């Protein structure tokens, strides 16, 4: 790869979301989120290389899917009816921008969420 090609490389879209979610069960059921996410990850032909999670006393949870392509992370606050979601897929071998957008849409639908904040960071 020459210098010109290197300077044109776009590492990928990193989407950061803060969502309002009225259904407390969705903010407390780590298992439902994990199952939904694994199905999405499979549907989008992404590869899981690790999963880490923790359930809090407040019934919220945090979970990180480490992907060969990068990551999907969530942190929920049922007491505030909110969650933050972080989706990043790198573009090393192909442009994954549309996958990030589609994943974001799928999660918004899963949570039946109102978007409080959505930030796109083009790496």
């Amino acid at each position: 790869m020459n210098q010109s090609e290197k300077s044109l490389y776009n590492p990928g879209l990193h989407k950061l979301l803060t969502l309002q979610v009225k259904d407390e069960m969705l903010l407390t059921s780590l298992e439902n989120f994990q199952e939904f996410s694994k199905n999405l990850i499979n549907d989008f032909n992404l590869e899981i290389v690790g999963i880490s999670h923790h359930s809090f006393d407040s019934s919220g949870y945090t979970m990180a899917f480490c992907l060969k392509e990068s990551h999907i992370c969530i942190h929920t606050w049922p007491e505030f009816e909110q969650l933050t979601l972080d989706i990043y897929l790198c573009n090393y071998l192909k442009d994954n921008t549309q996958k990030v957008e589609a994943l974001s849409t799928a999660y918004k639908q899963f949570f039946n969420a109102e978007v409080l904040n959505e930030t796109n960071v083009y790496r």
Side-chain angles (χ1 to χ4, degrees):
M1 182 178 300
N2 65 39
Q3 191 58 38
S4 166
E5 291 171 321
K6 288 179 186 177
S7 67
L8 294 176
Y9 178 65
N10 173 5
L13 173 58
H14 192 167
K15 187 172 282 282
L16 306 169
L17 300 156
T18 303
L19 305 177
Q20 187 85 40
V21 178
K22 299 294 183 185
D23 185 345
E24 184 176 338
M25 188 277 303
L26 293 171
L27 295 171
T28 58
S29 178
L30 182 142
E31 295 80 14
N32 286 352
F33 176 78
Q34 182 172 354
E35 181 179 342
F36 180 77
S37 295
K38 282 182 174 181
N39 288 334
L40 267 183
I41 289 164
N42 185 55
D43 290 347
F44 283 93
N45 296 312
L46 302 171
E47 185 178 334
I48 297 172
V49 295
I51 301 173
S52 185
H53 60 82
H54 178 77
S55 293
F56 294 97
D57 293 339
S58 67
S59 298
Y61 59 88
T62 188
M63 178 172 271
F65 288 91
C66 296
L67 306 173
K68 184 176 177 184
E69 300 80 6
S70 200
H71 66 270
I72 298 171
C73 302
I74 190 170
H75 193 89
T76 71
W77 290 273
E79 63 274 27
F80 299 111
E81 298 181 336
Q82 290 187 19
L83 65 83
T84 57
L85 185 63
D86 177 338
I87 305 167
Y88 177 55
L89 300 178
C90 69
N91 289 338
Y92 179 63
L93 296 176
K94 62 183 171 185
D95 186 346
N96 283 312
T97 302
Q98 292 307 312
K99 284 186 181 184
V100 172
E101 294 291 359
L103 286 164
S104 171
T105 298
Y107 280 118
K108 288 183 239 179
Q109 291 171 350
F110 172 77
F111 285 104
N112 191 27
E114 174 188 343
V115 177
L116 299 177
N117 190 10
E118 183 167 350
T119 303
N120 291 333
V121 179
Y122 294 93
R123 303 280 182 194

